Amino acid sequence: FSAFPEGVEGIVQAYSACLPHIRFYGPTNFSPIVNHVARFAAQATQQEAASQYFILLIITDGVISDMDETRHAVVQASKLPMSIIIVGVGNADF
């Protein structure tokens, strides 16, 4: 992804480049990816200097299938150096 510019424009370009190569399917479980990124953020808190902050951007075309697990994962991650942004695309009932 180093070929993409920084910022929002880079995110949009990376999304556009990946879109033709992915296949959407369900269920839409968010808790595994939230927990995965939270592990990286938790490791960052063990460093002497607070030098890392994580932003998890989830672009989804489906409604969350594991809402209880995702809610729990987000609450657990709330004390870590990370933010979670969820963007719904398409016609699902977000």
Side-chain angles (χ1 to χ4, degrees), residues 63-75:
V63 177
I64 300 173
S65 301
D66 64 338
M67 183 60 81
D68 290 338
E69 294 88 350
T70 297
R71 185 178 297 117
H72 179 74
V74 169
V75 169

Side-chain angles (χ1 to χ4, degrees), residues 24-28 30 59-65 86-94:
F24 294 103
Y25 62 93
T28 306
F30 287 0
I59 302 173
T60 182
D61 71 332
V63 177
I64 300 173
S65 301
I86 302 172
V87 178
V89 295
N91 296 324
D93 183 16
F94 297 109

Side-chain angles (χ1 to χ4, degrees), residues 44-63:
T45 64
Q46 304 303 312
Q47 306 300 318
E48 287 185 27
S51 62
Q52 291 183 311
Y53 189 85
F54 297 82
I55 300 173
L56 172 58
L57 172 62
I58 300 174
I59 302 173
T60 182
D61 71 332
V63 177

